[in-house]
Amino acid sequence: MLITISGPAGSGKSTAAKALAARLGYDHVSGGDIFRDLAAEKGMTPLELNKHAETDDQIDRDLDRRLRDVAAERDDLVLESRLAGWMAGEHADFRVWLDAPIGVRAQRISEREDKPTELAETETRERAESEAKRYEEYYGIDIHDLSIYDLVLNTSRLDPDGVVEAIAAVVEAYNPEGDEGKTPVTVDYEF
């Protein structure tokens, strides 16, 4: 089975993807790792490459091609990136979108990157706007269209183990032979 985990920065996708892959005995491939490899190949830091990608569409296209290649070649894999659900195409067996309110995501990024929360929120908003524009321009993808996902999960009130438990429960109950055209399962723990 090929499972994709997508979502915006700070949603918990990397943490969840690693833990889910370990739980299922699958391999894990991160779009972030592929991006860092691409940056190293070009002699740049990831931040430098991200800035460069705003004016050079080949950066995103190379990254996305690598994601598509991995998806086409592998089974028993958890593939994680913002566009993994889209890039895996027909190879994906189960697509997950993780999200949380911007304040929660900014706090997580702030702690992870040791920067002020306000700065993390500003950078996260700017990055998301830039990426959304590029995805639409390059591929005609509306990143806000969640209809391709089998599971949409708000991670704001779950710890990492809870996120993995929720995903695993739905993956284990998933019936790929079910009715076509079903809407995705949406799990929102905000009360």
Side-chain angles (χ1 to χ4, degrees), residues 132-152:
K133 183 187 287 186
R134 294 192 327 251
Y135 302 154
E136 180 69 38
E137 181 182 326
Y138 300 164
Y139 309 115
I141 292 172
D142 175 1
I143 195 67
H144 304 292
D145 175 6
L146 303 181
S147 65
I148 69 162
Y149 296 98
D150 300 297
L151 173 65
V152 175

